[in-house]
Every structure is written in C-alpha cells, then in structure tokens.
Amino acid sequence: MSIDLDSLKVFARVAELRSFTEAARQLGMPKARASARVRSLESELGTQLLLRSTRVVRLTPEGELLLKRTPGFLAEADEIGALFQAGRVLRGRVRLALPVVVAVKFVIPRLPELLARHPQLQVEICASDRIAAALREGFDLVLRIGAVAEAGLVGRRIGESRMMNCASPSYLRQYGTPRTLDALRSHLVVHYAADSVPNFEYLDGETYRELPMRSMVTVDNFEAYEAAGIAGLGIVQVPRHGVERHDNTLVEILPEFVARPVPIALLHTHGRSVPRRVRVVMSWLMGVLAPIVSELVPR
C-alpha cells in the first residue's frame, strides 16, 4: 500500500480546520478536488477518516490517529526531498502573515526581486494587524510585533522597538498636558482592540504596570491607532522610531513612564523540518527587514 503525500496534506488541513471549503481555499484548489483527495486517501487506507455533514466535519477515531502521525510523515518527506532539491527550481506557495505597514511599505515593493530569482514561486500575503492563528490558518511565516503566545512557532527574534507616549497638540490644548500618573485620571487613551481594556502601560521601577483609563474610541490596527491619536481622540503609545514622520502631529509626553519595548520576531510553522521554499523566503525576508529592524533596536 502506498500513501499519496498530497492527499495526506489535504487531509491534515481539512482535519485541522474542520472545513473542506476553508482548507481548499488555503491550499489553492477547488473544494471538489480537496474532497476527492480525502476520499482517495480513505480508499487507500480502507477506512473512513472524516465524518461529513452539511454543517461540520469531524474526525473518526481512525482519523484522529492518523492526524497525530501526519506531521511526522510530512516532515520526514520534506526532509528527504530537500536532500535532492538544492539545485532544482524553487516552486510552490508560501503564505505570509504581515502587519499592514510592513507589507505595504517594505515587503511588497521588494517582492519583484524575489520572484525574478524564483519565477515558479507563489507568495500569498495576508496584510493585517490582526494576530492570526498561524498554524490553524495555514500560514508558513508570520512576523510578530509583540509577545508570541501561540505554541508551535519557531524562528528568530529580530529585535525590539522602544516605545513613547504621545498626544496631539489639539488633544493637549483641550485636556492639558499630564505631568504625573495621577493626572492621567482626567485623560483619555485610544483603545487598541488587542488589549482587553483601555489602559496606560508604564515602568514602575523594574516592573511594568497597567493603569486602567477611559477611552472614547477603539481601533483594531496600528494605522488607525496612530490616526486616532493624531485626530486628538486620546493618548497613544507608539514606537519611538516613527516619531520623525509625524511632523509635530504628535507630541511626546511623560517620557519617564514608557511602556515595555515591543519584541519583533520572524517565525515559521514547520517545526524542525522547514521546506526549502519557506527557508528561502524566510532568508529573503530577513534581508529585507534587517534595515528596518535595526532602526527599532535600542542604541
């Protein structure tokens, strides 16, 4: 009996997502083909792996057993293939999850040079400040700015960005300039949706603390967060490296009470066996991002 690796990959993605539709979208194939791949695998193994209904896809006990073993099978196959691919044309798709600003301003403008070297490569970029569930959503590489809470991600910490507290001149004219933490009780912050409640983070000796505050607006991406601060909707805590681009639209306040530096890391989802196409794209991204990250690392 032989097992088709492509069918095994489709099965694993469907099982992880509990959806043929979403798995097919991530794999770049029609739903009917994904379904046919899984049926073919079930036929080869002589057992049902998935229970299908109009609303949900569930694993059978046999499917659960196979899913536990599948990552090892696929990793071993990739490792064996990599031994003989060093001189071959790089092909296949690599899915990236990047913050909007990083994707739009730094990565996409440089992408033609990567694709000129590897014309058979396909790059899919999800540009969003939402923190994607990298493994569940099928990404190969993610750039994380901030703490990494998701298990199973491996990679390199590039550096960290120092933070500063800012408010717009219009905001300071209306509410005054706070000089102490106690003065913040009469002020507003722009609420970043990733934080459970509006707060002002600050260093107290050697410990970072959070001061709950009021907010009139909540946003879910960094560009909107900065724009809300510039519009006078509240105090914002932003990377120090970007202050020069604001041209007096934001003013630094409370410099002695800064938030913790934000770590920056480029991570992959492939454990110990990384496909060659992912290694190549990761190496290229490091080269593209290094000049940016060097500006974020404290001198």
Side-chain angles (χ1 to χ4, degrees):
M1 178 185 66
S2 63
I3 295 179
D4 180 72
L5 290 176
D6 288 335
S7 296
L8 193 60
K9 290 177 182 178
V10 174
F11 159 74
R13 191 62 56 85
V14 172
E16 290 166 356
L17 298 172
R18 299 295 197 270
S19 168
F20 277 94
T21 301
E22 182 61 20
R25 187 191 70 79
Q26 290 189 9
L27 292 168
M29 65 173 60
K31 178 183 175 182
R33 186 187 303 172
S35 181
R37 288 280 195 181
V38 174
R39 285 198 303 270
S40 174
L41 181 62
E42 289 176 325
S43 178
E44 287 179 356
L45 296 175
T47 188
Q48 186 173 10
L49 301 171
L50 298 170
L51 297 173
R52 306 156 175 84
S53 73
T54 55
R55 293 187 176 183
V56 69
V57 175
R58 292 185 292 113
L59 285 162
T60 65
E62 293 78 10
E64 290 179 354
L65 179 62
L66 179 60
L67 184 61
K68 291 178 182 178
R69 302 286 299 276
T70 295
F73 292 150
L74 296 178
E76 184 71 16
D78 280 337
E79 192 170 333
I80 292 171
L83 294 174
F84 306 97
Q85 290 179 354
R88 295 184 183 177
V89 173
L90 194 69
R91 66 179 75 244
R93 184 174 61 161
V94 179
R95 302 188 72 232
L96 315 177
L98 303 171
V100 175
V101 172
V102 174
V104 172
K105 293 187 176 181
F106 301 108
V107 174
I108 291 176
R110 297 278 302 275
L111 198 55
E113 65 188 50
L114 174 69
L115 297 179
R117 291 200 297 267
H118 306 289
Q120 299 300 313
L121 189 66
Q122 297 175 340
V123 178
E124 180 178 332
I125 296 176
C126 174
S128 172
D129 289 333
R130 176 183 65 87
I131 299 178
L135 289 164
R136 180 171 58 80
E137 296 183 39
F139 289 106
D140 296 295
L141 292 168
V142 295
L143 183 71
R144 285 287 164 82
I145 300 177
V148 178
E150 184 178 355
L153 300 183
V154 182
R156 295 174 59 184
R157 177 166 169 153
I158 308 172
E160 60 183 22
S161 175
R162 293 179 295 168
M163 304 297 285
M164 63 188 300
N165 307 313
C166 292
S168 71
S170 63
Y171 175 90
L172 296 176
R173 284 194 297 270
Q174 181 175 355
Y175 293 94
T177 301
R179 308 290 183 188
T180 65
L181 290 175
D182 190 60
L184 288 176
R185 300 183 188 281
S186 60
H187 283 265
L188 301 167
V189 292
V190 176
H191 179 208
Y192 204 107
D195 298 326
S196 57
V197 296
N199 67 76
F200 179 91
E201 185 180 72
Y202 65 97
L203 180 62
D204 180 11
E206 296 183 354
T207 304
Y208 286 96
R209 304 187 186 280
E210 294 179 354
L211 177 69
M213 290 186 63
R214 294 184 300 123
S215 177
M216 293 191 302
V217 62
T218 299
V219 297
D220 67 353
N221 73 67
F222 183 73
E223 287 188 318
Y225 182 72
E226 274 193 334
I230 291 170
L233 294 169
I235 295 168
V236 291
Q237 298 184 295
V238 297
R240 177 169 292 277
H241 82 279
V243 67
E244 65 276 0
R245 73 175 181 272
H246 296 306
D247 294 328
N248 298 320
T249 56
L250 288 176
V251 178
E252 184 175 11
I253 60 172
L254 297 170
E256 67 274 34
F257 295 109
V258 294
R260 75 186 72 216
V262 176
I264 304 167
L266 184 61
L267 308 163
H268 66 76
T269 59
H270 293 273
R272 290 177 297 176
S273 182
V274 188
R276 177 170 168 253
R277 66 184 184 282
V278 177
R279 292 199 307 270
V280 168
V281 174
M282 187 172 187
S283 177
W284 175 80
L285 272 175
M286 290 295 296
V288 170
L289 298 177
I292 310 162
V293 174
S294 65
E295 299 175 11
L296 312 185
V297 179
R299 299 294 198 273

